Amino acid sequence: MDVEDELRRAMAERVAGTRAPRSLAADVRRRHRRRRARNRAAVAVAGASVTALALVPTYRSIQPEPAGAPETTAPGSAAPESGGAAPGRVPAPAASGPSESAKGRTSPEARTARPSAGTPDEPDTGRRPAGVGPSVPAWLTYLPAGLTVVRPCTTERDTAGTATVCEWRGEPGRVRVRLVESTGLGGPEDLARPVGVPSRTTVRGAPALAGAAPGAGRQISWLPRPGVGATVQADGAVTADLMRIAEGVRP
């Protein structure tokens, strides 16, 4: 007898009286669904673990430093006293208030800086010479000492423009300044004409005409700025300061 036939017969006799229950198919399907659910849960847990591990470095980089943690202080800074600023923190400097010496004292008004009052080689000290008082207009920054005003500066207006005349006299001589504001000024030749043949020069870089003044002395005419002309006449010892006076005219 063949061994395989004997084994087949034994198996048939073993299961001859055995029948599968009616719920076998339902049990198989239920077990299959449970197995799939367990597999899905395991996959979800594994994915969540990987995501959490990936977010740990980012969380640590953005995690704020806990309160009370020591901070680096600047070298040489003194430790705060008890009841002062937080440990390790350098207190912000207090806003500086007015000093005791400044209390009750009015601060000077801001003034617009004016160009140099002297010659190009002479620095401007910002002060007027001795003897120059309130009678000197603000646009004249230099006047020789020993002169007094003959009359307050007068202004005449007509259709051609405006002319302002100021005059001072004294032991050193006489100084007369005339300012003309007009849109028709083209150059120094449109101002007071000198006696004789004038010489060409410059006043603070502006073209000027210099020559003898009517009567006596010397004069110089130029345009300090467009539309404004100036003529300075000097007689006596102050003639030597004619150019310096002209340099000090700042209309």
Side-chain angles (χ1 to χ4, degrees), residues 174 193-195 212-219 233-235:
R174 178 182 67 92
R193 298 183 178 276
V195 178
R218 302 278 298 174
Q219 74 176 19
Q233 297 176 347
D235 185 10

Side-chain angles (χ1 to χ4, degrees), residues 182-241:
S182 175
T183 56
L185 295 177
E189 60 276 359
D190 295 334
L191 302 171
R193 298 183 178 276
V195 178
V197 179
S199 60
R200 294 190 175 274
T201 182
T202 59
V203 177
R204 300 187 62 82
L209 293 179
R218 302 278 298 174
Q219 74 176 19
I220 186 170
S221 301
W222 77 104
L223 269 63
R225 53 187 174 88
V228 178
T231 299
V232 177
Q233 297 176 347
D235 185 10
V238 294
T239 304
D241 295 330

Side-chain angles (χ1 to χ4, degrees), residues 150-176:
V150 175
R151 58 178 179 176
C153 297
T154 58
T155 301
E156 301 177 356
R157 295 180 175 83
D158 54 24
T159 56
T162 302
T164 301
V165 180
C166 305
E167 187 174 353
W168 298 267
R169 291 184 182 181
E171 185 178 353
R174 178 182 67 92
V175 173
R176 184 175 184 268

Side-chain angles (χ1 to χ4, degrees), residues 127-137 140-147 168:
R127 300 178 180 178
R128 291 183 178 181
V132 177
S135 60
V136 179
L140 182 60
T141 61
Y142 175 77
L143 189 67
L147 300 178
W168 298 267

